[in-house]
Amino acid sequence: MMISTKGRYALRVMLDLANNPDEDYVSLNGIAQRQGISMKYLEAIVAVLNKSGFLESRRGKTGGYRLAKPADSYSVRSILQAAEGELMPVNCRGCADGTCPRADQCNTLPLWQKLEGLIGGFLESITLQDLVDGNLPDSLV
């Protein structure tokens, strides 16, 4: 599994907003400058995050974006899923009905299912506030 630029930038945008809790609303221009993200790409990412209910927005001279909830309410997994869709270690895990047509013949399927659970659990266990505070687990075990 590879997290795309869109997912990484979405996490950076959310982290930027979490690091500016004293500001009422944060301008896209400020985020773009601090994060080195083009305005066009940033607008697309913010649209996804806003549609997912992660952000509040306000128009006008003092407008911008802010987190809709406290930073400890957002898991890294939820942010990445909003930007990327489902996070799967291999393509065959993404069959339309959630099952693999070769499941009865595939000896590696349990490996991919276990890996998906480990990755998902790890990303779910880390909140945006953990990233702000620099509190990451030392290991998965």
Side-chain angles (χ1 to χ4, degrees):
M1 164 183 38
M2 183 174 292
I3 305 297
S4 73
T5 302
K6 186 176 182 181
R8 292 190 343 261
Y9 284 5
L11 190 56
R12 285 173 45 191
V13 167
M14 293 290 286
L15 190 56
D16 189 285
L17 293 171
N19 278 314
N20 290 290
D22 295 335
E23 292 187 41
D24 193 18
Y25 286 86
V26 178
S27 73
L28 281 186
N29 190 40
I31 296 170
Q33 288 178 358
R34 285 188 297 276
Q35 298 301 322
I37 302 172
S38 77
M39 280 297 287
K40 185 173 182 174
Y41 201 23
L42 183 59
E43 288 169 349
I45 290 167
V46 167
V48 168
L49 295 172
N50 199 30
K51 184 178 178 183
S52 297
F54 290 1
L55 305 178
E56 293 178 353
S57 63
R58 182 169 69 188
R59 294 183 183 269
K61 185 176 179 181
T62 60
Y65 293 87
R66 68 180 180 190
L67 297 180
K69 299 183 286 187
D72 63 359
S73 300
Y74 301 99
S75 70
V76 170
R77 180 181 185 177
S78 68
I79 297 165
L80 292 175
Q81 281 183 322
E84 301 276 351
E86 286 301 315
L87 304 172
M88 292 169 280
V90 292
N91 288 339
C92 67
R93 293 288 298 129
C95 296
D97 63 358
T99 61
C100 176
R102 295 184 34 86
D104 60 339
Q105 308 161 15
C106 182
N107 292 335
T108 61
L109 182 60
L111 169 73
W112 305 131
Q113 291 170 328
K114 179 75 172 175
L115 181 59
E116 185 178 344
L118 288 170
I119 293 169
F122 177 71
L123 294 175
E124 188 65 36
S125 74
I126 301 169
T127 68
L128 196 54
Q129 188 63 50
D130 291 330
L131 294 177
V132 168
D133 297 339
N135 294 333
L136 296 178
D138 292 330
S139 68
L140 291 173
V141 226

